[in-house]
Amino acid sequence: MLKIGLTGGIASGKSAAAEVFAGLGVPVIDADVIARERVAPGSEALAEIVCAFGPEMLTPAGELDRPRLRRRVFADAEARARLEAILHPRIREALLARLETLDAPYVVLVIPLLVEAGWQDLVDRVLVIDAPEALQRERLMRRDGLSAAEAEAMLAAQADRATRCAAADDRVVNDGSLDDLRADIEKLHGHYLALAGAGRTGPSAR
């Protein structure tokens, strides 16, 4: 089974691209979804996060206060490393386990920090959903209600655009409409089906 690692900077359009793949019948495994499952109330990971960052990271209902934790770790590289040490091994283990349950020509693994975590070994090809940083910043501020400084800190915490694109086997520039993105993904879908049928990864489509 051909494994496609879908990644990209924050607010680049990874989720929208993944939805197009899913709509085409492609199995999609999302690392962010797994992360949310792993920090459910009563989980071992949530207990470790509270131990590392304090009870203020919980909502009154006992759930992880994701916006508060996000602000904390994006402002502090050491805190971010502590959080990743708690979550990344669990996420990787779950990704591998779910791959074992699938039978399809190819699968898409949505891994936002694929490049930063060095998880290229999990996939056969890396698909980067790319966008100009100014557009990412604008989307992030609009989507999450962040200040320019907060958005900039989140962008700075990830691999820069050039580093991410250098790791790509395939790249989609998502700076247009949803229909433009859908057309690009549909083109790649045909390419990936051909590669899966040939049993090889072949040259990049773009």
Side-chain angles (χ1 to χ4, degrees), residues 25-163:
V26 181
V28 173
I29 305 175
D30 192 325
D32 275 351
V33 172
I34 291 173
R36 286 193 288 272
E37 293 170 354
R38 289 296 178 271
V39 297
S43 66
E44 182 181 87
L46 183 60
E48 289 187 24
I49 289 171
V50 171
C51 183
F53 299 101
E56 65 270 21
M57 293 302 156
L58 294 177
T59 69
E63 299 175 337
L64 180 64
D65 189 331
R66 294 173 63 85
R68 180 187 290 268
L69 180 60
R70 182 176 60 189
R71 289 193 296 269
R72 171 74 180 277
V73 301
F74 276 111
D76 183 342
E78 184 178 331
R80 189 162 63 251
R82 288 204 305 274
L83 179 63
E84 290 173 353
I86 293 169
L87 292 180
H88 281 190
R90 292 177 167 90
I91 294 170
R92 186 182 174 99
E93 180 182 26
L95 283 170
L96 291 170
R98 294 186 188 190
L99 280 172
E100 293 296 321
T101 70
L102 297 175
D103 182 17
Y106 77 94
V107 59
V108 171
L109 285 75
V110 184
I111 308 175
L113 297 181
L114 186 149
V115 174
E116 292 86 342
W119 283 6
Q120 290 95 326
D121 63 302
L122 289 177
V123 301
D124 299 305
R125 295 183 74 85
V126 175
L127 167 58
V128 170
I129 306 300
D130 187 29
E133 290 187 358
L135 183 55
Q136 287 178 260
R137 191 179 300 108
E138 177 188 322
R139 288 171 175 167
L140 193 53
M141 292 169 64
R142 184 172 63 245
R143 185 188 74 186
D144 295 350
L146 302 180
S147 68
E150 289 172 327
E152 192 61 42
M154 294 182 75
L155 288 171
Q158 297 188 326
D160 61 65
R161 187 181 182 189
T163 299

Side-chain angles (χ1 to χ4, degrees), residues 2 125 192 194-203:
L2 184 67
R125 295 183 74 85
Y192 292 153
L195 292 179
R200 57 184 175 82
T201 54

